[in-house]
Amino acid sequence: MTIFIQNDATGAGAGTVAAALALVHITVIANLDTGVGLNPAVGNLQQVTYNQTDPGIPPTRLNTLVNTNFGVNPAGTDIIVLAVGGNFTLVDGSLITTRGGTALPPAGSGLPGASLNTTASCLVLYDTSDNNGSGYCLARQGTGGTLDLRLPLSVMLYHELSHALRIVTAALLALTAACNPASPEENAAITDENDMRTQLATLLGDPVVLRDPNIHCGTSCGGGGSGGSCCIVASVSSGSPLSTEVQELRALREQFLRRSEVGFAFFDDLHHRYYGFSPQVVSAMATDLDLRAVTLDGFVRPLIRMLQLIRDHALDGVDAEELGRRFCQRLDAAEVPSALHVMDQMADVLSAGGGGLGESGDVPDQAAQRADVATLLAGRALPDPYIRWGLVEPVQAYHGLLQAWRDGEPAQALGARVIGFVDSWGGRLPIAPHWGTLTVEQARAELQWLDSTLLRGPRARAEFRCRLVEEFGEVTVIQQALSRTDAAGQIEEEVRR
């Protein structure tokens, strides 16, 4: 009873804390063992529980950490994990991105790093922003020091927990300032880290690539980071923050939502609102494999498939026949039966009143958790315009496509459904306050980008502009931008109508 997840920055510094991500990465460390759980929060802490069934090395290490009373803190909170953002600063003012992760001994212990800790516990902090999306690159074994090996977030946390175990057992090895050669303490942590890399590669079906234990040096990968906070629900439901589903969501985000200032602002708003409810969903999925499957087949994969079709039409101008063909081509025969099975119950969940999340067998706690999740979705998530537009409506549209496909509708008609949805959906894009901060040229550029993507159809353009006028009708910048963006000279007329 010694590992706790902390939901604020108390005792460690200041900045964003993404507590729910810690549970995701601990679950990956457990090799998706269903014995991982969380006790109810007490103050700013939630105790991690673990009933180990997986015999692997990282799960065994996790079992030791979770179920041993090390006696470091009389309260029993020997190790506290803080999953933080790239803006997090430690008590000395340094950014977490200068370290990636760190394990801080208890205050007053006299151990290296203790001066950065104001608590009586060992604090483990790690950067869930993945170096603000740029990634951390380390020395790959067998290359003599080539810094091209990525650091997955679950591996980063496992590395820091390796340090934490030696801190709480008074077995910390010597530390040196040099990174090449690595100090004895860092050599030991990297050796442990490679156990986690092996497990993760096996889980994903990838070749095992290890880190050089003799070199602790690292650098920014310079872009294309793994973006650990992309989607924690997708991470848990698919089994890994590095899964195909999470990678596809991340690619769609970068290709589509983040290609303009307004799109970037929209994503940030959506992200903030999403994290207002997703930790509770993740907590329920941590110990409920059936709920993971329902979420993956009924929500995550349909969202990805529909966003891919929207991208194909909005960015590439793909016509109806080709869209229909791509829809059929991307249908995974292994996924379809599960998707059809959960489609109706997921439709109930995504309706205005919410609904059940399926049966949970004879497990009362799981039934109660699912009821709580459904209530949360109905009360907080579904009414939110950003959540409904960005996450719910695309899933509902895909469910409609799947139903039409099951009824034998031809590819041309399926593609026409996609185009009709985009024309209707694009015009209802939530209007972020960021529009009011733009210059005329910036607003004009944003409108031109939207016209070439989401607002390809005249109906979508007219509807969005009418809404923009209603929201910012007194803002001269928006008025001027609107008057300059229609090459055909009809936008002002459409807006007036």
Side-chain angles (χ1 to χ4, degrees):
M1 52 177 297
T2 56
I3 289 188
F4 291 75
I5 295 172
Q6 185 166 310
N7 59 26
D8 64 21
T10 301
T16 300
V17 174
L21 288 174
L23 176 63
V24 174
H25 301 133
I26 288 172
T27 302
V28 176
I29 288 171
N31 207 25
L32 309 186
D33 194 339
T34 58
V36 174
L38 280 177
N39 284 340
V42 177
N44 64 348
L45 298 175
Q46 257 187 297
Q47 182 182 353
V48 178
T49 62
Y50 184 35
N51 180 19
Q52 181 185 4
T53 60
D54 189 300
I57 295 174
T60 299
R61 170 65 58 84
L62 181 65
N63 182 57
T64 298
L65 289 164
V66 169
N67 294 308
T68 305
N69 188 343
F70 297 104
V72 172
N73 185 329
T77 54
D78 291 330
I79 300 171
I80 296 174
V81 174
L82 285 92
V84 303
N87 65 347
F88 196 91
T89 57
L90 281 74
V91 296
D92 66 348
S94 63
L95 280 168
I96 188 66
T97 51
T98 64
R99 302 163 180 261
T102 187
L104 302 176
S109 65
L111 296 173
S115 62
L116 299 178
N117 185 356
T118 65
T119 78
S121 304
C122 173
L123 291 184
V124 171
L125 297 91
Y126 70 111
D127 172 23
T128 62
S129 79
D130 197 25
N131 196 17
N132 293 312
S134 293
Y136 296 96
C137 275
L138 311 167
R140 183 161 45 94
Q141 192 173 62
T143 66
T146 301
L147 302 180
D148 64 355
L149 181 64
R150 300 300 295 261
L151 180 60
L153 298 183
S154 58
V155 175
M156 182 191 295
L157 175 58
Y158 191 76
H159 178 110
E160 298 308 328
L161 288 174
S162 172
H163 290 308
L165 180 60
R166 282 186 291 280
I167 289 172
V168 298
T169 56
L172 196 68
L173 302 174
L175 282 163
T176 60
C179 66
N180 186 8
S183 68
E185 175 61 27
E186 290 300 347
N187 181 287
I190 295 171
T191 299
D192 287 340
E193 172 187 322
N194 281 338
D195 291 333
M196 183 62 205
R197 287 185 179 275
T198 300
Q199 174 180 286
L200 187 59
T202 302
L203 179 66
L204 298 174
D206 294 335
V208 177
V209 182
L210 301 180
R211 181 178 176 186
D212 190 334
N214 298 310
I215 302 175
H216 185 240
C217 308
T219 188
S220 170
C221 299
S226 66
S229 62
C230 182
C231 183
I232 60 172
V233 170
S235 296
V236 174
S237 64
S238 63
S240 169
L242 299 180
S243 69
T244 299
E245 287 79 9
V246 176
Q247 298 290 359
E248 287 175 342
L249 277 175
R250 188 173 297 120
L252 286 164
R253 177 194 67 187
E254 298 304 323
Q255 295 167 6
F256 198 57
L257 288 177
R258 285 187 159 179
R259 290 184 61 180
S260 72
E261 287 193 44
V262 169
F264 202 100
F266 169 81
F267 178 80
D268 282 351
D269 280 337
L270 175 65
H271 184 268
H272 175 75
R273 294 158 191 251
Y274 168 75
Y275 274 89
F277 69 90
S278 56
Q280 293 93 323
V281 179
V282 168
S283 295
M285 286 195 297
T287 55
D288 189 341
L289 284 180
D290 289 338
L291 181 57
R292 289 190 200 178
V294 168
T295 305
L296 182 63
D297 292 333
F299 184 83
V300 173
R301 284 175 175 153
L303 176 63
I304 292 169
R305 300 291 182 263
M306 195 64 200
L307 289 178
Q308 287 172 333
L309 291 169
I310 292 169
R311 178 199 59 196
D312 291 345
H313 177 62
L315 295 186
D316 301 332
V318 174
D319 62 21
E321 184 172 356
E322 177 62 14
L323 282 173
R325 189 190 68 80
R326 292 187 185 186
F327 167 77
C328 296
Q329 187 179 49
R330 288 169 181 158
L331 281 175
D332 187 327
E335 295 175 12
V336 169
S338 295
L340 292 173
H341 176 70
V342 303
M343 190 169 62
D344 291 339
Q345 67 187 57
M346 185 57 69
D348 289 340
V349 174
L350 297 178
S351 68
L357 284 167
E359 300 299 325
S360 57
D362 298 320
V363 186
D365 288 344
Q366 288 184 357
Q369 276 188 328
R370 292 190 182 194
D372 289 344
V373 169
T375 300
L376 175 72
L377 292 176
R380 290 181 56 187
L382 299 181
D384 186 283
Y386 284 76
I387 298 298
R388 284 209 67 83
W389 188 88
L391 301 178
V392 175
E393 291 182 16
V395 172
Q396 291 173 325
Y398 189 85
H399 287 172
L401 281 174
L402 197 59
Q403 179 67 58
W405 171 83
R406 181 169 60 178
D407 293 342
E409 200 164 286
Q412 172 79 25
L414 292 171
R417 282 178 177 267
V418 174
I419 293 174
F421 170 74
V422 175
D423 283 346
S424 171
W425 181 71
R428 292 182 282 103
L429 168 69
I431 297 175
H434 186 70
W435 279 97
T437 69
L438 302 178
T439 66
V440 173
E441 290 307 314
Q442 286 173 333
R444 182 184 180 189
E446 294 296 319
L447 285 166
Q448 289 174 335
W449 182 80
L450 286 173
D451 288 349
S452 66
T453 54
L454 285 180
L455 307 180
R456 284 178 173 269
R459 181 180 67 169
R461 292 187 187 190
E463 180 176 359
F464 184 77
R465 280 161 167 75
C466 285
R467 294 176 52 241
L468 197 60
V469 168
E470 289 175 0
E471 185 73 20
F472 295 103
E474 301 302 319
V475 179
T476 304
V477 166
I478 299 299
Q479 292 176 338
Q480 292 178 350
L482 284 169
S483 69
R484 298 182 188 180
T485 53
D486 181 32
Q490 297 178 358
I491 290 300
E492 288 183 273
E493 181 181 349
E494 289 173 346
V495 171
R496 285 193 295 269
R497 290 177 184 172

